[in-house]
Amino acid sequence: MNIDILLGKTKEHLVPLEGTKFFVHQQMLHDFLKLQQSAKKDGFDLQIASAFRDYDRQLSIWNAKARGERQLLDDQERPLDFSLLSPTQIVFAILRWSALPGCSRHHWGSDIDIFDGNSQNASEVKLVPSECIANGPAARLHEWLDVQLAHKKAFGFFRPYDTDQGGISPERWHLSYYPISRRVIDVYTFSVFKKNILESEVVLKEVILEHADEIFQRFIMSFDLP
Ligand SMILES: [Zn+2]
């Protein structure tokens, strides 16, 4: 596999999703459309809020947060006071909600964030836990998806961040296409991770390198399986 696919540095594996601005992995498109059809039959408009994201976009998100230009949140979605945090605390606060450039599953084309177009406009979607539970606008869609997943009727999709493993915050809206993403994770080694960081223009690089082992284990290798 081309390492650039792991790192979000190429679009060669992608196709556009018709009628949207999004790109997805060409081998995932067919099964995504089947999942969307299946949802439609049961009364849901399963739409994508985010799909492929490239390296440069992830770098600018990271660096804005690492410079204090974008709000950091704690586990309960409450704003953190940037001026009170040490560099190490800043790195781990960002990692709870955002990936390092070269480390996002959204680089792979296999992963998407979803919402229910019947109950929310795309512009209203925030992708926060409260949208997906209780009376949240995407709650019914996710209850439906729970059933599909339990019966292996999700066409290869699963939730890699369903439970809190102490790394990335739970994200019920984030789906991954297993036939592709497991092939990527197989070749995503620690040396790929470390080389990517060393060669990057990421802010707080020294702190990230100092904690490289822990970051790799907690934020890249820790996820739920189907
Ligand atoms: Zn996501």
Side-chain angles (χ1 to χ4, degrees):
M1 187 179 299
N2 181 352
I3 291 293
D4 285 348
I5 292 178
L6 276 57
L7 305 178
K9 293 185 174 178
T10 177
K11 289 180 86 174
E12 68 172 36
H13 55 307
L14 305 172
V15 288
L17 184 66
E18 218 181 298
T20 76
K21 61 182 179 184
F22 300 113
F23 286 81
V24 295
H25 199 293
Q26 53 184 339
Q27 289 165 35
M28 177 264 249
L29 179 64
H30 187 65
D31 278 336
F32 171 71
L33 295 175
K34 281 205 238 172
L35 181 70
Q36 201 174 36
Q37 269 301 322
S38 171
K40 194 175 177 185
K41 255 189 270 163
D42 289 336
F44 302 100
D45 181 21
L46 193 160
Q47 291 294 336
I48 289 184
S50 174
F52 170 76
R53 198 181 304 140
D54 72 12
Y55 181 91
D56 288 339
R57 173 84 190 113
Q58 199 66 36
L59 180 67
S60 72
I61 294 170
W62 178 275
N63 284 352
K65 289 191 170 184
R67 291 187 187 113
E69 295 162 2
R70 245 173 107 147
Q71 184 68 60
L72 299 184
L73 301 175
D74 70 9
D75 283 0
Q76 280 75 43
E77 302 172 31
R78 292 175 305 212
L80 286 165
D81 185 343
F82 189 82
S83 66
L84 298 178
L85 302 175
S86 71
T88 302
Q89 287 173 324
I90 294 168
V91 164
F92 284 96
I94 303 171
L95 284 168
R96 191 82 172 128
W97 297 97
S98 299
L100 282 158
C103 303
S104 172
R105 295 178 78 104
H106 284 283
H107 293 330
W108 308 343
S110 57
D111 285 49
I112 52 176
D113 299 325
I114 61 159
F115 68 102
D116 183 0
N118 284 341
S119 53
Q120 257 182 320
N121 292 320
S123 60
E124 300 166 343
V125 177
K126 293 196 208 68
L127 300 177
V128 291
S130 54
E131 287 176 320
C132 304
I133 54 165
N135 291 317
R140 299 290 90 72
L141 171 66
H142 282 285
E143 285 162 14
W144 172 84
L145 191 57
D146 288 339
V147 175
Q148 308 309 306
L149 289 165
H151 293 90
K152 307 246 176 261
K153 289 182 178 169
F155 304 98
F157 289 89
F158 72 107
R159 291 195 190 99
Y161 308 129
D162 198 22
T163 61
D164 195 343
Q165 306 215 3
I168 292 164
S169 184
E171 300 186 346
R172 268 168 81 71
W173 57 84
H174 184 115
L175 302 188
S176 182
Y177 185 59
Y178 190 64
I180 302 293
S181 60
R182 66 158 280 245
R183 277 180 13 222
V184 176
I185 210 77
D186 276 353
V187 287
Y188 205 116
T189 59
F190 181 70
S191 69
V192 168
F193 166 73
K194 196 159 179 191
K195 182 167 182 282
N196 165 56
I197 297 300
L198 280 168
E199 292 171 355
S200 76
E201 289 165 31
V202 70
V203 173
L204 297 175
K205 190 194 280 198
E206 294 311 314
V207 182
I208 296 161
L209 289 171
E210 192 186 320
H211 298 277
D213 283 291
E214 182 184 354
I215 291 172
F216 182 68
Q217 285 308 326
R218 276 179 62 195
F219 296 94
I220 298 181
M221 285 301 143
S222 296
F223 53 87
D224 296 300
L225 285 166

